[in-house]
Amino acid sequence: MTVEKAEMRLKILYFAWVREKTGRAFEEVDVPLGIATVADLVTWLKTRGPEFELAFARSDVIRAAIDQVHAKPTAEIANAREIAFFPPVTGG
Amino acid sequence: MTVEKAEMRLKILYFAWVREKTGRAFEEVDVPLGIATVADLVTWLKTRGPEFELAFARSDVIRAAIDQVHAKPTAEIANAREIAFFPPVTGG
Amino acid sequence: MGVRVQTADFDLSMEVAALTTGRTDIGAIVTFTGTVRGEANGQPIALMSLEHYPGMTEAELARVEAEALARWPLSASLIVHRVGDLKPGDNIVLVVAASAHRQMAFDAAAFLMDYLKTRAPFWKKETGADSAGHWVDARDSDGEAIARWSSTG
Amino acid sequence: MGVRVQTADFDLSMEVAALTTGRTDIGAIVTFTGTVRGEANGQPIALMSLEHYPGMTEAELARVEAEALARWPLSASLIVHRVGDLKPGDNIVLVVAASAHRQMAFDAAAFLMDYLKTRAPFWKKETGADSAGHWVDARDSDGEAIARWSSTG
């Protein structure tokens, strides 16, 4: 992969059953222009194949973090370096 | 001391500053007839000398236990074996 | 379920292990350790002496523990209270409450401490650097702390 | 003030001693230990696997600890969370809160646990005796527990 538009290159991480369903722990992706929010990114990810459609089928329960801080679906992803998707946390 | 009326013989214990002021940790006393409650007993004890008058001067803050159970001033002392007087507890 | 009064120190890990080792029904263990502070009312203290009422202490602590067990499904609980002469930094008291879920363990441990502070027959005497000793006054806030529990029974 | 994520077990006494030894400003130390229960929803479990988000975990735990310090004058605090494969009875998490007075230590420890359960990026997977694994669902009561704190800030 060559980096043509650095501002669109994102590291995406998946945890717990989101990781199991997407079949990967992380990837670097080139996100098309026009993807402004976390919700936009989820919509776009679901178009990338059946494993993503399955992983994000229950997108209402999936949580996100932008650069290691919890983020809402409406959060802007501009300038983000890394975005993570995961189920509600169950530690402690 | 000989036990003439077993029902009037009481073991009385004193703790913390009540002990220091009465000058004793415990004693066995023959309580006269007519002493019915914890409050009656305090009133009678105060007649036994200046150290008791001093020890029970702040009788409103002194607590009592009858047979190792917290008791109110109005509690009956009939059938008690041991009565204790002490300041509010400060453990823990 | 145990209650002990002792002059010796206690070890947190050993006490918890004795209650929980080999058990898989416990999910939450809360401990409270009370220690001697080096100052009281802004004055340094050199020594803290703890006096108690033998016999009544054990009976009262057992009653308090029974009340806690009637309120919460505790898996295990323990109260250890030291007596005698202690120095700043020394342990005074240990309360352990173990339960399947965390809120019960927290509530039970706080309850045991509140009752212990207002009912268990212990008295503290502080001795300052000048060797003047004075008995610690009961704090009003302890009475308020215990009042919390009367409406939740 | 510390936050650690580790595969190794922890020792309660050693962790508390590391926070408090030599200090005489502490009067109350509350610890919470979370352990793996042997059953989930009535089914025995053989293994509990804990996954986390390295980097975010430490950052989030540090933020939670900073919030606790903004609310209570804590003398010391510590969060240790294990990851990897654990068995029933094993320790999962340790929270320690030390303060001059007991109510602050209790409140701070409960607060740290509530926030940890709702914000720290850990996920538990239980494996039953039949080797079937499933991810633990978040409990609604954890969301309610955290809501308590928003009105007391």
Side-chain angles (χ1 to χ4, degrees):
Chain A
M1 281 196 281
T2 58
V3 182
E4 291 172 35
K5 296 171 96 35
E7 71 278 16
M8 297 305 300
R9 170 65 55 96
L10 269 183
K11 183 178 183 182
I12 307 189
L13 299 93
Y14 309 95
F15 293 97
W17 55 254
V18 184
R19 171 179 55 72
E20 288 181 344
K21 287 180 178 175
T22 62
R24 66 205 79 187
F26 70 92
E27 59 183 339
E28 302 232 339
V29 295
D30 291 312
V31 177
L33 287 170
I35 304 296
T37 65
V38 169
D40 292 346
L41 182 59
V42 169
T43 302
W44 176 73
L45 285 170
K46 287 167 82 168
T47 67
R48 294 173 70 224
E51 73 274 32
F52 285 94
E53 209 169 337
L54 179 70
F56 287 92
R58 295 168 60 199
S59 63
D60 54 318
V61 302
I62 293 181
R63 303 289 183 263
I66 299 177
D67 292 337
Q68 309 190 345
V69 178
H70 289 289
K72 297 193 163 136
T74 52
E76 303 273 342
I77 62 170
N79 305 316
R81 291 178 307 278
E82 109 181 14
I83 297 191
F85 292 101
F86 42 77
V89 303
T90 54
Chain B
M1 283 196 277
T2 57
V3 181
E4 289 172 36
K5 295 169 97 28
E7 73 276 17
M8 296 306 299
R9 170 65 54 97
L10 269 182
K11 183 177 182 182
I12 307 189
L13 300 94
Y14 308 97
F15 292 97
W17 53 256
V18 184
R19 171 180 55 73
E20 288 182 343
K21 288 181 178 174
T22 62
R24 67 206 77 189
F26 69 91
E27 60 183 339
E28 301 232 338
V29 294
D30 291 313
V31 177
L33 287 170
I35 304 295
T37 65
V38 168
D40 292 344
L41 183 59
V42 168
T43 302
W44 177 73
L45 285 170
K46 287 167 82 169
T47 67
R48 294 173 70 226
E51 73 273 32
F52 285 94
E53 209 167 335
L54 179 70
F56 287 92
R58 293 168 61 200
S59 63
D60 55 317
V61 303
I62 292 180
R63 303 289 183 263
I66 299 177
D67 292 336
Q68 308 190 346
V69 177
H70 289 290
K72 297 194 164 137
T74 53
E76 303 274 342
I77 64 170
N79 306 316
R81 292 179 306 280
E82 119 180 6
I83 297 191
F85 292 102
F86 42 77
V89 303
T90 55
Chain C
M1 314 293 163
V3 159
R4 297 201 320 264
V5 179
Q6 61 188 42
T7 54
D9 197 8
F10 50 80
D11 180 82
L12 198 54
S13 294
M14 284 175 54
E15 299 293 352
V16 169
L19 290 179
T20 63
T21 298
R23 296 184 62 169
T24 58
D25 58 325
I26 294 173
I29 304 147
V30 171
T31 75
F32 177 91
T33 305
T35 59
V36 181
R37 284 202 304 279
E39 285 199 355
N41 307 316
Q43 299 298 313
I45 76 157
L47 190 73
M48 165 85 80
S49 302
L50 272 138
E51 175 175 331
H52 81 128
Y53 181 176
M56 178 168 173
T57 303
E58 291 77 1
E60 189 62 35
L61 293 180
R63 284 190 284 269
V64 168
E65 201 171 41
E67 283 190 37
L69 289 170
R71 285 165 183 260
W72 294 282
L74 292 179
S75 308
S77 68
L78 173 70
I79 296 173
V80 181
H81 205 300
R82 296 180 71 190
V83 289
D85 290 346
L86 305 175
K87 299 183 307 299
D90 282 354
N91 291 326
I92 302 173
V93 64
L94 171 66
V95 161
V96 184
S99 188
H101 299 289
R102 77 181 186 285
Q103 197 56 51
M104 289 185 282
F106 271 118
D107 286 349
F111 169 91
L112 288 172
M113 277 308 299
D114 285 350
Y115 266 72
L116 205 153
K117 287 226 166 227
T118 49
R119 288 195 355 200
F122 290 91
W123 299 275
K124 286 182 180 131
K125 187 177 194 174
E126 293 165 345
T127 302
D130 57 356
S131 297
H134 72 274
W135 295 93
V136 174
D137 274 332
R139 288 167 55 220
D140 286 343
S141 62
D142 290 329
E144 290 161 19
I146 195 112
R148 292 193 291 158
W149 301 105
S150 53
S151 59
T152 58
Chain D
M1 314 292 163
V3 160
R4 297 201 320 263
V5 178
Q6 61 189 42
T7 55
D9 197 9
F10 50 79
D11 180 82
L12 198 53
S13 294
M14 283 175 54
E15 298 294 351
V16 169
L19 289 180
T20 63
T21 298
R23 295 184 63 169
T24 58
D25 58 325
I26 294 173
I29 305 146
V30 170
T31 73
F32 176 90
T33 306
T35 59
V36 181
R37 284 202 305 278
E39 285 199 353
N41 306 316
Q43 299 300 312
I45 76 158
L47 190 73
M48 165 83 81
S49 301
L50 271 138
E51 175 174 332
H52 79 128
Y53 181 176
M56 179 168 172
T57 304
E58 292 77 2
E60 189 63 33
L61 293 180
R63 284 190 285 268
V64 167
E65 200 171 42
E67 283 190 37
L69 289 169
R71 286 164 184 261
W72 295 282
L74 292 180
S75 308
S77 68
L78 173 70
I79 296 172
V80 180
H81 205 301
R82 295 180 72 190
V83 290
D85 290 345
L86 305 175
K87 298 183 307 298
D90 283 354
N91 291 326
I92 303 173
V93 64
L94 171 67
V95 161
V96 184
S99 187
H101 299 289
R102 78 182 185 285
Q103 196 57 50
M104 289 185 282
F106 271 118
D107 286 350
F111 170 91
L112 288 171
M113 276 307 300
D114 285 350
Y115 267 72
L116 205 152
K117 287 222 165 231
T118 49
R119 290 196 353 202
F122 290 91
W123 300 274
K124 287 182 180 129
K125 187 177 194 175
E126 293 166 344
T127 303
D130 57 354
S131 298
H134 71 274
W135 294 93
V136 174
D137 273 333
R139 290 168 54 221
D140 286 343
S141 62
D142 289 329
E144 291 161 19
I146 195 118
R148 293 193 290 158
W149 302 106
S150 54
S151 59
T152 59

